[in-house]
């Protein structure tokens, strides 16, 4: 598992954890849709960690059903993360108008970092989805 590119990408799920931490440390107003971003980042972080444990322990038994499940999970993660990334970018652009005050400037910069890591996580999940699809088709 850890010798393939797909296996190494599991470790890069830490970017999802960074999104989670950065969004949790920012200023959230009431009508803010960052709850979806938090759900996606926590869900994908926990599921990727569980997925890593299952595959590292050999629980998948190298069967085609697990290859299918791997592909479907990463496809769902890509769709979720892409929607969360767009939402987070929209909220961050909206924060640009109020970021003139000193306390809001810090939150604006944290949100920018969260947007960057969110798109990086989306890209990594997309690459893993493609590699999972190739592996799934090889069965």
């Amino acid at each position: 598992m850890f010798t393939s590119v797909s296996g190494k990408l599991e470790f890069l799920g830490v970017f999802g954890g960074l999104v989670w931490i950065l969004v949790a440390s920012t200023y959230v107003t009431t009508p803010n849709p960052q709850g979806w971003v938090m759900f996606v980042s926590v869900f994908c972080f926990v599921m990727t960690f569980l997925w890593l444990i299952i595959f590292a322990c050999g629980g998948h038994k190298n069967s085609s059903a697990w290859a299918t499940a791997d592909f479907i999970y990463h496809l769902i993660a890509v769709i979720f993360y892409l929607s969360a990334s767009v939402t987070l970018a929209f909220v961050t652009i909206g924060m640009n108008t109020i970021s003139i005050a000193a306390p809001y400037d810090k939150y604006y910069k944290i949100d920018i970092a969260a947007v960057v890591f969110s798109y990086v996580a989306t890209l990594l999940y997309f690459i893993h989805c493609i590699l999972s699809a190739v592996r799934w088709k090889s069965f």
Side-chain angles (χ1 to χ4, degrees):
M1 171 182 177
F2 302 112
T3 58
S4 67
V5 175
S6 181
K8 291 176 184 171
L9 284 175
E10 291 288 340
F11 285 114
L12 297 178
V14 74
F15 285 108
L18 288 172
V19 173
W20 172 22
I21 292 166
L22 289 168
V23 171
S25 66
T26 190
Y27 179 75
V28 178
T29 58
T30 305
N32 200 328
Q34 286 182 333
W36 171 246
V37 178
M38 284 296 291
F39 168 76
V40 168
S41 59
V42 171
F43 172 78
C44 290
F45 184 78
V46 170
M47 287 300 295
T48 301
F49 179 73
L50 293 175
W51 213 246
L52 175 69
I53 297 299
I54 289 170
F55 274 74
C57 293
H60 59 88
K61 306 272 192 251
N62 207 15
S63 70
S64 64
W66 277 99
T68 305
D70 189 39
F71 168 69
I72 291 171
Y73 164 66
H74 284 95
L75 181 64
I76 290 170
V78 166
I79 293 168
F80 276 14
Y81 249 114
L82 184 60
S83 68
S85 298
V86 169
T87 303
L88 186 60
F90 178 75
V91 169
T92 304
I93 289 170
M95 283 183 72
N96 189 22
T97 59
I98 63 167
S99 67
I100 301 189
Y104 292 106
D105 187 48
K106 178 179 94 171
Y107 299 127
Y108 178 65
K109 290 176 183 175
I110 290 172
D111 267 4
I112 289 174
V115 168
V116 169
F117 284 118
S118 182
Y119 277 108
V120 167
T122 303
L123 177 66
L124 293 173
Y125 276 113
F126 180 72
I127 292 169
H128 198 141
C129 182
I130 296 298
L131 294 174
S132 296
V134 169
R135 194 173 120 239
W136 174 46
K137 289 297 179 183
S138 69
F139 276 99

